[in-house]
Amino acid sequence: MPDKPSHASTDAADQADAETSGLLGAADIRRIAADAGVTPTKKFGQNFVIDPGTVRRIARTAEIGADDQVMEVGPGLGSLTLALLETGAAVTAVEIDPPLAERLPHTIVERMPQAAERFAVINQDALKVTPDDTPALARAESFTLVANLPYNVATPIIITLLERYPNLSSFVVMVQKEVADRLCAKPGSKIYGTPSVKLQWFGEAERAGVIGRNVFWPAPNVDSALVKFTRTHTDLTDDDIAARKRTFALVDAAFAQRRKTLHAALKKTVPASAFETAGIDATLRGETLTIDRFAALAAAAEADAA
C-alpha cells in the first residue's frame, strides 16, 4: 500500500496548483497577510481558506458561471473570491475589516487581472449593507450569495440578506457543521429551532458536504459544512412583509421557551381561539411546527385581535 502524502507534500501540491491557476495556496495566504499586516482575529471570526480545491468545490456547488452576479460576504484575503471570478461571474464582496477590504483589489489585480473589472469590494458590515450600497446586485434580476461565513453571525447574516434583497435567489455558504445542521433541520428534530423555521419562509435548504479543518488558516476547533439554498418565496407586498414579521415574532417566542407548550409559550400574544381557528393543537411544542403552521397561527391571532 502506498504511503499517505505528508502535509508538506500536500501543501506543496496545493501551492503548485495555486501558482498555475491564479488561486491562492497556503504560502500565498501567509505572504499576503504579512504584506498587509493582517493577523486573523477572533473578533471577526476569521479563518482563511488555504486550499484551492476547496474554493473551487464551493464555486461548483453554487453552480455559477459567466454573467452571473454574486455577493460574497467576508472575502478575507481573497481565496474564494478568485475561485468565483474564475467562473466568469461578477463578484461584489462585502468585507467588514478595513485592512482586508483595502488589500483585496490589489490581490485580484495581481492574481487575476483579467477579472478586475468584474469585481467590487465594499467595506461594510453585512448586517448593515443595503441594496443602495450594492447597485450591481440591486439591478440584477437575481444573484447568488456565496460565502465562508463567520460562525457567530452566520444565521443573522443569511436571514437579514434574504429580507433585504428580494432578488437573492440562492446561496451556498460554508458554516460551522452544527450551524449547517440547524439551518437544514426538520420539524421534530432536537436541533430544529429558530434558524430552521425562519429559513423555511424563504425557501429550501440542504446540506451539501462537510469541509475538514485542515483547509483553514488558522485551523478552527470545529468542522465546517456547506449549505445550499434555493429561494421559493419572496415578500412582494407590504402585507407579505407584515405577515413575515408577525410570524417571526411567534417563532422567536415559541423557541425562547422551547420546552413549553405553544399555549404556555405564546399566552401573552396568541388567544386560545386563534389555535382553534388555525387548526393547531395548543398542547404541541414549537419544535413540531413548520413555517406554514406558524404563519397560519400568526394570521389567526391577527384576525382575532382585529
Side-chain angles (χ1 to χ4, degrees):
M1 180 180 293
D3 293 336
K4 292 182 179 180
S6 67
H7 287 301
S9 63
T10 303
D11 288 348
D14 290 343
Q15 187 61 36
D17 179 33
E19 289 170 358
T20 58
S21 68
L23 302 185
L24 300 177
D28 298 311
I29 290 291
R30 291 183 173 89
R31 174 184 60 79
I32 293 170
D35 289 347
V38 170
T39 301
T41 68
K42 289 186 178 180
K43 176 184 177 182
F44 295 134
Q46 291 168 337
N47 298 91
F48 302 129
V49 183
I50 57 175
D51 173 47
T54 296
V55 291
R56 277 202 176 118
R57 174 186 173 188
I58 295 170
R60 283 196 307 271
T61 302
E63 300 181 67
I64 57 171
D67 301 323
D68 286 339
Q69 290 284 341
V70 177
M71 173 189 279
E72 182 187 7
V73 171
L77 294 170
S79 301
L80 179 56
T81 314
L82 287 164
L84 297 173
L85 290 169
E86 186 180 51
T87 69
V91 178
T92 300
V94 181
E95 175 55 61
I96 192 173
D97 194 353
L100 292 179
E102 183 178 351
R103 169 67 195 187
L104 193 53
H106 300 286
T107 300
I108 303 305
V109 170
E110 290 169 3
R111 306 291 297 198
M112 207 171 286
Q114 73 276 15
E117 292 184 356
R118 292 186 278 112
F119 173 74
V121 61
I122 299 164
N123 181 203
Q124 177 66 281
D125 183 344
L127 290 170
K128 298 178 180 178
V129 71
T130 70
D132 289 340
D133 299 321
T134 56
L137 298 178
R139 290 193 302 267
E141 181 178 348
S142 65
F143 72 91
T144 299
L145 168 67
V146 188
N148 170 23
L149 291 177
Y151 296 155
N152 57 337
V153 291
T155 297
I157 286 175
I158 289 169
I159 299 299
T160 297
L161 292 176
L162 286 168
E163 289 175 344
R164 290 186 185 158
Y165 289 87
N167 60 336
L168 171 50
S169 60
S170 61
F171 68 66
V172 171
V173 296
M174 180 160 57
V175 293
Q176 181 178 340
K177 182 177 175 293
E178 287 74 11
V179 174
D181 291 341
R182 287 197 293 272
L183 289 171
C184 301
K186 303 302 180 186
S189 165
K190 291 182 179 179
I191 57 173
Y192 184 72
T194 304
S196 327
V197 185
K198 289 184 176 180
L199 196 53
Q200 288 176 18
W201 178 274
F202 301 101
E204 299 175 356
E206 61 179 331
R207 281 273 300 271
V210 176
I211 305 292
R213 307 176 188 191
N214 62 330
V215 304
F216 295 96
W217 174 66
N221 295 322
V222 294
D223 290 326
S224 301
L226 300 179
V227 175
K228 186 173 185 178
F229 171 88
T230 302
R231 189 173 200 141
T232 58
H233 175 77
T234 300
D235 297 318
L236 298 176
T237 67
D238 289 343
D239 286 344
D240 291 335
I241 294 171
R244 184 190 72 221
K245 290 180 178 178
R246 288 194 298 269
T247 302
F248 281 14
L250 283 195
V251 172
D252 289 336
F255 284 97
Q257 304 177 78
R258 66 178 296 145
R259 304 315 301 167
K260 289 189 175 182
T261 65
L262 289 167
H263 173 71
L266 304 177
K267 61 184 178 182
K268 294 183 179 179
T269 53
V270 179
S273 58
F275 289 99
E276 185 176 349
T277 301
I280 293 172
D281 183 350
T283 66
L284 294 174
R285 292 172 176 166
E287 63 199 41
T288 65
L289 266 59
T290 64
I291 189 63
D292 290 339
R293 304 301 283 156
F294 273 111
L297 185 57
E302 177 72 8
D304 282 10

